[in-house]
Amino acid sequence: MIEIVIHPENTKDILTQISTHLEGEIVEEWGEFTMTLDNINGKGKITYIPFDWGVNLLDFDITFYKEFILKIEADVYNPIRFMYNLEGYFYHRFGEQLTERRTEQFQSVIFTNKIEGINYLHFPKHEKLKVNCIQIVRKDFMNKSTTNVASLNKKLHELFVDQDYENRYMHFGELNLKMADDVRKIHKVKAKGMLRVLKIEAKVYEILSLHIQQHERQTSGKELPVSLSKQELRTIKTICDCIQKEPARPYALGDLSEAYGLSQAKLQDGFKFLYKRTVTEFIRHIRLEKARHFIKTTDLNISQIVYSIGFTSRSYFSKIFKEKYGVSPNEFKKQITAKVNV
């Protein structure tokens, strides 16, 4: 086990000092700093992107070949950290604690330390890691004109207004598969330059809002549905991913229940918990989103799109499309064409 001591004055210091210890290479493009690693210490990358008003992203997509502990001092630089574990696992503890707490896949953790405190992040070896860490520098963030933390619950409010670092706090979140979708979308951003950074920044704020919503829900006593285990929710997430990839398949509740070994009641409970929709509503939503994407990006006519996404009735498709988006498919296509021709 190798311990790396980090004395950061900002987030970039964390990346720079990790890179120095692990002999990585940092490249900057449009304010996005990427450390790549391919040596005896590990393989992959760690990305740092600073945004306005004290918000920044530290994203791990890496496999360490040795067991590493990052010992991060919380003195000059002491943000609130919102971490989400998309793949693998890691441990955290404060300096005065003797035992570590493990963060599992699809789980989140929020923490900040008192001034002069120590944060230990323990990463295993030979484990593929995808960890999303949003860091909030409170003094900068609270100066943003649109920042209003008064509506947050008491604990989060105390953390955001604590600019003298008098409080220590840690909160482990429940399994959150909706957050996984948004973190994956950051990794899938294909744009370059300023547009790329802007798209990632928008996603970062969405993920931050999910952290806060989950914290509010848990601290008010609303936990995971008791009818479902974490493994069953993971299975339901697998089903959701399949529907998103192949929306045209003829999905039926009974067939999904039999194929994945979950009762129809559990399937409905899981979809409602993860996506606030029944199974049928989720399938319809995904098909409509796919249809809108096809109208915007292809030359297929409406009838071709209808059958390519799994609907059998054009009139029914037109009806539910207008209910969802406020315009008919033909009107939407005309709007898109008009914009292109301007």
Side-chain angles (χ1 to χ4, degrees), residues 106-264:
F106 303 134
Q107 190 180 13
S108 61
V109 58
I110 302 170
F111 66 90
T112 190
N113 213 334
K114 291 184 176 182
I115 193 167
E116 298 181 354
I118 303 291
N119 295 297
Y120 288 89
L121 287 173
H122 179 181
F123 297 107
K125 62 181 178 179
H126 304 306
E127 182 77 21
K128 177 65 175 176
L129 298 171
K130 289 188 177 181
V131 180
N132 178 279
C133 180
I134 299 170
Q135 302 183 115
I136 307 294
V137 179
R138 283 161 279 194
K139 290 182 180 179
D140 295 336
F141 188 70
M142 295 300 289
N143 286 329
K144 186 178 181 181
S145 61
T146 57
T147 296
N148 181 4
V149 299
S151 62
L152 298 178
N153 65 34
K154 182 179 178 182
K155 178 48 67 177
L156 280 184
H157 181 269
E158 287 176 354
L159 294 183
F160 273 97
V161 300
D162 178 20
Q163 298 183 25
D164 294 321
Y165 314 140
E166 296 178 344
N167 296 293
R168 178 182 293 118
Y169 184 69
M170 184 193 307
H171 171 80
F172 283 86
E174 63 193 13
L175 190 76
N176 191 318
L177 300 179
K178 175 64 176 72
M179 207 178 296
D181 289 336
D182 287 321
V183 172
R184 287 194 183 102
K185 287 176 183 176
I186 285 181
H187 297 157
K188 292 178 181 177
V189 172
K190 300 298 183 184
K192 296 183 179 181
M194 183 177 68
L195 182 59
R196 171 179 169 80
V197 173
L198 288 172
K199 285 187 172 183
I200 292 175
E201 182 177 16
K203 274 296 157 198
V204 163
Y205 276 101
E206 286 185 35
I207 295 167
L208 179 61
S209 71
L210 289 176
H211 276 288
I212 293 172
Q213 289 170 24
Q214 177 172 275
H215 183 274
E216 297 273 350
R217 184 174 64 248
Q218 279 189 261
T219 53
S220 64
K222 297 177 182 178
E223 301 289 341
L224 289 171
V226 294
S227 64
L228 291 162
S229 68
K230 289 185 178 181
Q231 185 54 51
E232 287 170 335
L233 280 173
R234 289 190 177 98
T235 299
I236 290 169
K237 182 62 171 64
T238 298
I239 298 171
C240 297
D241 291 343
C242 289
I243 293 170
Q244 290 174 324
K245 290 177 182 177
E246 300 181 89
R249 287 178 56 189
Y251 298 100
L253 186 60
D255 294 339
L256 290 172
S257 174
E258 183 177 349
Y260 289 93
L262 292 175
S263 70
Q264 294 185 26

Side-chain angles (χ1 to χ4, degrees), residues 2 4 58 60 68-72 81 83 90-93 100 109 111 119-123 133:
I2 299 174
I4 299 174
L58 193 63
F60 295 77
F68 285 104
I69 289 181
L70 297 185
K71 181 181 177 183
I72 307 173
R81 292 182 170 93
M83 297 185 72
F90 65 89
Y91 301 90
H92 172 271
R93 72 176 176 90
E100 300 176 317
V109 58
F111 66 90
N119 295 297
Y120 288 89
L121 287 173
H122 179 181
F123 297 107
C133 180

Side-chain angles (χ1 to χ4, degrees), residues 65-89:
Y65 296 151
K66 302 174 183 177
E67 198 169 353
F68 285 104
I69 289 181
L70 297 185
K71 181 181 177 183
I72 307 173
E73 297 189 349
D75 187 2
V76 177
Y77 182 70
N78 191 355
I80 306 174
R81 292 182 170 93
F82 296 80
M83 297 185 72
Y84 181 77
N85 190 25
L86 180 63
E87 190 172 335
Y89 65 91

